[in-house]
Amino acid sequence: MRIRSRALRSAAVVLAAGVGIALAGCSGVNTTSGPAALGTSNDINPQARESVREGGNLRLAISAFPANWNTLSTDGNELEIGEVVWPLMPRSYNIDATGKLSVNTDYFTDIQLTGSDPQQVTYTINPKAVWSDGSPITWEDIASQAHALSSTDKRYLIAINNGFDRVEKVERGVDDRQAVITFKQHYSDWRGQFAGNAMLYPKSVTADPETFNHALAGHITLTSGPFAVQSTDRTQGRIVLARNPKWWGDKPKLDTITYSVLDRSAYAAALQNNELDAARLTSIEDLATVRSSPELVVRHAPGNLWRHITFNGAPGSILTDPALRVAISKAIDRQGIANAIENGLVANPKPLGNHIFVQGQEGYQDNSLPFDPDAAARELDALGWKLQGDVRVKDGRKLEIRDVMYNDPTWVRVAQIVQGDLAKVGAKLTIDTRPGQGFFTDVMIPGDFDAAQFLFSGDAFPLSSIPQIYAYHPDDEQSNFGRIGSPELNALIEQTLNELDPKKAVDLANQVDRKVFEEGFSLPLTQDPGNYGVRTTVANYGAPGLASYDYTKIGFVS
């Protein structure tokens, strides 16, 4: 994305959808107001169901047509795709703005941890729950997905294990509507296996590697949500969802939801021209456009998207040496980046200091290494990178780093700031912009970068993404695009996932985070301000914070 997601689980990847350039000196535009921190509230114009009128079409935007509607796959693991699919597919828990969970009773009547040695979780499926062809959702759908994500069959191109590599077996319970998952190793984030950014797909999608990888590349087949796909048009860039006639839960207030493919820079103008009803805002100019329109309002709740720089540590890369990556990290002024790109968007810009938890989320603490260009220069000297003119050289190789990003003004602005910072310590940064379409397929997955910029998206299950991104297994890279890791980090991650005490798991996760900084894995920059432009008549939709949407309640009020 454009806002792109990668790791659609606890950490979904978001391509660029950058927060547009926030120019200093634009003090005439008020900064956003609203909830002060993630995990305290959201801003969605909450209305009781009876206050929302029947019918209507909610017009939303995406920046590209879905490459693959299977969000469990490497090609489909993008946040924007997830946002289209959420109204269509089962998830096990509803999440409120504080991150509190409640069982999604549309799909499951009960979910219980029924054993700890071995760990065992029992899912009891709502007897009314069916796929869009009328066939029941059963334990076999859960078992099939568990197998597909287990990494036992490498032909499945999965984006994340999501803990299923720790599952021993999935068995039928008292009937076909109950699944019993038995773990061979403890899994601390077991509640998130079918929740948050994760969804349950039918066994027809997950039972076969070829189907899993490619069958949903052009369209989605079986669904099970309050909405179903009415039509898709890749040429016109249009997706229309309509009420699912087989839906057994509360009737959706909306008739349809329409997604139109638009360049992100056009979102605010499309809102102003009454072509959209809601859209993410990414610049001060966007905020000003929305505020100038009486029929629009800015909704604000700090988001769980966060921008960062990922380094490439694969053999042959200029940044293979972890000590070099750490020195480069210390030379980058993250507070300066926060000031430059968020001034005017938030009242007090600050860099993000954690890879696992976002600011406002339980468990967040700043584990980052300090900005220290003098120390960076000394460390580069000690590593044998000696200044020759303006650029350091070692063994005849210049310290030149190619920074790859989606062609977005904010990403380029970040790269220019980093370029200036690194020049001060004798490192040369080259800015390499790419189109959004195919960014992960063509750039990130094959490792065509020295450094790369995109966004991750978190959810209420932050531990699930730890092995997906930060563990390193050469035969199962998942979202470890930089091929960076160590046996020590893998062991610490394993200890974290094995801890069923939530507080102890959080403490261990922060130890993992510090180790990730110390290996020079990547550099968190800033957290998304969470600004949305929304038509004043839209109810139960806007800036969600950590919360999941109730798609049956979204609609319009007079």
Side-chain angles (χ1 to χ4, degrees), residues 231-455:
S231 63
T232 62
D233 189 327
R234 184 180 292 272
T235 302
Q236 295 295 321
R238 190 69 48 80
I239 298 168
V240 180
L241 310 183
R243 290 172 179 164
N244 176 6
K246 291 187 171 62
W247 177 246
W248 57 94
D250 291 333
K251 179 182 176 182
K253 289 292 185 175
L254 292 168
D255 291 320
T256 53
I257 303 173
T258 298
Y259 297 89
S260 298
V261 176
L262 292 175
D263 187 272
R264 186 163 295 277
S265 62
Y267 284 10
L271 283 166
Q272 188 178 51
N273 296 333
N274 197 21
E275 297 166 2
L276 294 175
D277 296 307
R280 196 185 308 268
L281 305 179
T282 60
S283 70
I284 292 176
E285 292 80 5
D286 288 349
L287 294 176
T289 297
V290 169
R291 289 198 174 106
S292 69
S293 304
E295 71 277 10
L296 300 173
V297 64
V298 174
R299 302 214 177 277
H300 169 76
N304 53 13
L305 296 175
W306 52 281
R307 96 177 36 247
H308 74 289
I309 300 172
T310 277
F311 298 119
N312 191 345
S317 169
I318 189 73
L319 298 177
T320 300
D321 184 354
L324 176 57
R325 297 193 300 269
V326 168
I328 292 297
S329 297
K330 290 179 180 178
I332 296 173
D333 183 1
R334 298 184 308 121
Q335 182 63 59
I337 291 172
N339 292 341
I341 67 173
E342 292 199 338
N343 180 40
L345 293 176
V346 297
N348 182 29
K350 61 178 65 175
L352 185 69
N354 202 296
H355 294 84
I356 298 168
F357 304 101
V358 289
Q359 293 167 4
Q361 189 170 29
E362 183 179 358
Y364 177 82
Q365 64 185 45
D366 190 338
N367 297 314
S368 61
L369 303 176
F371 168 56
D372 191 341
D374 292 337
R378 291 194 300 270
E379 290 169 18
L380 291 171
D381 286 335
L383 291 170
W385 290 96
K386 303 300 183 182
L387 268 177
Q388 292 186 12
D390 294 330
V391 181
R392 294 177 181 269
V393 177
K394 180 179 180 181
D395 299 330
R397 188 178 190 183
K398 291 185 176 181
L399 186 51
E400 296 184 355
I401 299 166
R402 185 167 51 92
D403 185 10
V404 182
M405 70 215 69
Y406 168 72
N407 191 9
D408 173 89
T410 300
W411 286 122
V412 173
R413 174 61 176 150
V414 169
Q416 290 169 339
I417 295 170
V418 174
Q419 190 176 55
D421 288 341
L422 295 186
K424 295 174 184 176
V425 298
K428 180 179 179 180
L429 187 82
T430 301
I431 300 172
D432 183 356
T433 60
R434 302 292 181 91
Q437 195 73 39
F439 184 85
F440 288 103
T441 302
D442 301 334
V443 176
M444 299 307 302
I445 293 174
D448 183 18
F449 64 94
D450 297 323
Q453 298 181 52
F454 57 94
L455 289 126

Side-chain angles (χ1 to χ4, degrees), residues 20 60 77 115 198 262 299 308 396 423 446 494 501 523 544:
L60 305 175
N77 184 227
L262 292 175
R299 302 214 177 277
H308 74 289
E494 174 64 27
D501 182 307
L523 198 61

